[in-house]
Amino acid sequence: MKDIDRSEITPEHLFLSRRKFMLGAAALAGAALLPGCGDRGGGSNTQTTVSPGPVGATTDELGQALTSFEAVTGYNNFYEFTVDKDSVADLARDFATRPWTVEVAGLVARPQVLPIDELLAEFPERERIYRMRCVEAWSMVIPWLGFPLRLLLDQVVPQPQARYVRFVAIDAPERLPGQRKYSFDWPYTEGLRLDEAMNDLTLIATGLYGKQLLPQNGAPLRLVVPWKYGFKSIKSIVRIELVQDRPATFWSSSAPHEYGFYANVNPEVDHPRWSQKSERRIGETGRRDTLPFNGYGEEVAGLYEGMDLRKDF
Ligand code: MTE
């Protein structure tokens, strides 16, 4: 996967002004637990005034077309706001993402508390076009901006006992209606094995479609792990912690028989309630075959050698 440096894809004045870009701003009881990925059609009914910025390419490396900016920013899973995908953008419109700090801590030699703008200045953004496959069998192709998580982890210097990375999302019920409404075990948390976290594909995303991330997509920064189901890509991160033991995660704790820790995209392992063999690409009709590791097997299959991925789903 080739990086495109952001300055190569954006005229200088847009690149500079991006730094100043200001963000414009079902109760589950009785229902089967879903990570918000119900397949109810694409598109958007939001009136977002933000338009896409320039991107370096119009397809991914397999020649698959980008999903529209409107669908990427208008059809979202973000339970801290609502379980209704078409309403997240509206509810998140005025969600303030400044000030914001990210703490990188735990089993590291150099723990840090980084104000978001320092972090953005330190790690230049590059564009990565990734497929995103939701566990409920729909998918998108998204041009992200961001940087490999590995760069940040190298900077804090993991200690030898560190084997996993735990991610914690924002916990602010006064600003997040879903945290008041749904009785999940907030905050949303996720985890990766350290070698997964260090893989070059694992991205901290800070933008998409050439623009700063909007709140509905997890501003100011989120994880993107393209060979795993979308729920691993935790949004609005406030803490990254290096730990020794496999951490509990939001979905694998909520419904352990349905959502595993690894959550690698795998057409051979069905969800207990539906097939994972195919998927619907948002914006297209018909279905596509789901690819092992979402098409990134060459880069990541080696991470799981010797494991039984039916058991360790
Ligand atoms: N992160 C947080 N904090 N809260 C969430 O509800 N939903 C996850 C993931 N990250 C979620 C989250 C799920 S189920 C998916 S499929 C993706 O975000 C969706 O990302 P998108 O809305 O940018 O497409």
Side-chain angles (χ1 to χ4, degrees):
M1 183 104 349
K2 186 174 168 301
D3 283 340
I4 303 164
D5 189 277
R6 194 174 191 297
S7 55
E8 286 169 29
I9 56 171
T10 312
E12 185 70 354
H13 68 282
L14 285 178
F15 183 70
L16 294 174
S17 70
R18 197 202 69 78
R19 293 282 171 210
K20 297 186 208 130
F21 176 67
M22 299 297 287
L23 294 174
L28 286 181
L33 284 170
L34 298 178
C37 302
D39 189 0
R40 289 185 284 101
S44 159
N45 56 10
T46 61
Q47 293 107 48
T48 177
T49 51
V50 181
S51 51
V55 291
T58 54
T59 63
D60 68 7
E61 82 286 5
L62 302 180
Q64 301 184 2
L66 301 186
T67 302
S68 75
F69 177 78
E70 288 68 30
V72 173
T73 59
Y75 186 70
N76 301 102
N77 293 317
F78 204 163
Y79 273 25
E80 285 87 334
F81 288 98
T82 174
V83 298
D84 174 11
K85 278 199 270 294
D86 296 319
S87 304
V88 175
D90 269 345
L91 282 171
R93 190 181 303 275
D94 296 322
F95 181 72
T97 57
R98 297 291 187 287
W100 192 283
T101 53
V102 183
E103 187 174 10
V104 192
L107 299 171
V108 297
R110 294 196 206 130
Q112 294 195 12
V113 178
L114 286 160
I116 186 66
D117 291 309
E118 271 178 37
L119 187 139
L120 291 176
E122 203 159 337
F123 299 101
E125 289 171 327
R126 51 212 90 185
E127 182 169 272
R128 291 271 183 97
I129 298 175
Y130 285 160
R131 295 171 291 286
M132 184 179 77
R133 168 61 156 82
C134 180
V135 74
E136 277 219 356
W138 58 263
S139 60
M140 297 189 182
V141 182
I142 302 176
W144 298 104
L145 294 176
F147 59 89
L149 172 63
R150 160 177 56 80
L151 300 181
L152 178 58
L153 296 179
D154 281 343
Q155 187 167 295
V156 297
V157 189
Q159 295 174 1
Q161 319 90 280
R163 292 179 52 228
Y164 292 89
V165 187
R166 176 174 180 260
F167 304 85
V168 184
I170 185 168
D171 194 12
E174 67 291 353
R175 301 203 286 145
L176 296 166
Q179 288 191 337
R180 300 195 297 272
K181 190 168 174 187
Y182 313 122
S183 59
F184 282 108
D185 191 11
W186 303 109
Y188 198 102
T189 55
E190 258 307 335
L192 294 174
R193 230 170 47 196
L194 184 57
D195 57 348
E196 298 177 316
M198 297 296 269
N199 186 278
D200 186 61
L201 288 179
T202 304
L203 202 69
I204 290 288
T206 51
L208 59 81
Y209 261 109
K211 298 261 190 201
Q212 196 163 29
L213 271 191
L214 292 169
Q216 61 265 39
N217 294 107
L221 84 171
R222 69 171 298 165
L223 188 66
V224 180
V225 195
W227 71 94
K228 293 177 179 283
Y229 292 119
F231 66 86
K232 295 295 287 185
S233 293
I234 181 174
K235 297 176 171 181
S236 302
I237 296 167
V238 295
R239 185 175 163 86
I240 299 174
E241 199 182 339
L242 283 279
V243 295
Q244 186 159 12
D245 299 320
R246 187 198 280 194
T249 63
F250 186 84
W251 279 111
S252 64
S253 306
S254 301
H257 303 296
E258 305 201 349
Y259 309 108
F261 175 82
Y262 282 98
N264 292 317
V265 174
N266 190 345
E268 301 304 318
V269 177
D270 288 339
H271 185 279
R273 291 181 282 121
W274 58 84
S275 165
Q276 294 292 26
K277 286 198 170 21
S278 70
E279 65 201 59
R280 189 169 73 85
R281 179 65 46 82
I282 297 299
E284 292 180 359
T285 50
R287 300 184 74 83
R288 289 173 175 268
D289 287 344
T290 289
L291 303 173
F293 299 108
N294 205 20
Y296 301 99
E298 219 171 279
E299 288 94 334
V300 301
L303 293 169
Y304 308 102
E305 247 166 56
M307 282 177 60
D308 178 353
L309 294 178
R310 291 183 172 274
K311 212 171 108 241
D312 279 319
F313 64 98

